[in-house]
Amino acid sequence: MRGGLISLSVLNIFLSLTAIIGNVLIQVALYKETSLHSAMKLLLRSLSVSDLLVGLISVPLAVTYWMSVIFEHWKICPFALGLTVIASYTLGPVSLLTLTAISVDRLLALKLGLRYRQVVTLKRILAIVISFWVVSFISATIYLWDLHITLLCGSAITGLCLVTSVYSYTRIYLELKL
């Protein structure tokens, strides 16, 4: 078990570094990009920020937890585990919800045509993105009271996002096929 956790930690540190570098580059590219619709840029920024924070916060906390288990630092374990769960259950759903919003955005762009920019505004997308972050954080912090509710919220969000994305991309496929 000890060797497996060390290998997993090394792999996760490497992946964390690639996530950090990749998402910083994405943020720079989005800053320089002028042709994208501002609402889409905001969705891409939110996705990139949540993934960047996974590399900066969530993965290092998980590695800290694993190392505290390996080296039997039992005082650190519960704090590291709690922070890991809260960070992961905040950032994971934000990424998933944002990916789902992107799929719905693409469907709306296809279906609405010229009305798209009137319906999908920066203000509306900002409200949606903020709600993603707030809902994800609240559902993650419920872990402090009851893990089962947090897991239930995570399952519900995952299921809803999966169904919505499949529906959106199926409609896009069928629309473009015809």
Side-chain angles (χ1 to χ4, degrees), residues 55-167:
L56 284 172
I57 297 171
S58 192
V59 173
L61 283 171
V63 170
T64 301
Y65 171 69
W66 297 330
M67 291 297 110
S68 68
V69 169
I70 289 171
F71 296 111
E72 299 177 357
H73 293 223
W74 304 122
K75 290 183 180 181
I76 297 173
C77 280
F79 297 111
L81 178 61
L83 290 173
T84 300
V85 170
I86 290 171
S88 298
Y89 270 84
T90 298
L91 299 172
V94 168
S95 292
L96 190 57
L97 286 163
T98 305
L99 284 169
T100 303
I102 290 170
S103 71
V104 172
D105 177 76
R106 297 295 80 208
L107 177 61
L108 289 173
L110 183 64
K111 295 299 267 180
L112 295 175
L114 295 174
R115 290 188 1 187
Y116 168 76
R117 289 188 185 253
Q118 294 169 335
V119 174
V120 180
T121 64
L122 182 60
K123 192 174 187 178
R124 289 178 180 160
I125 295 297
L126 181 60
I128 289 169
V129 167
I130 289 171
S131 70
F132 289 167
W133 284 89
V134 169
V135 166
S136 296
F137 181 73
I138 290 171
S139 66
T141 55
I142 290 173
Y143 162 78
L144 299 171
W145 293 278
D146 190 354
L147 173 63
H148 298 295
I149 295 174
T150 299
L151 294 175
L152 184 65
C153 287
S155 298
I157 289 171
T158 302
L160 179 66
C161 288
L162 180 63
V163 168
T164 304
S165 291
V166 167
Y167 174 79

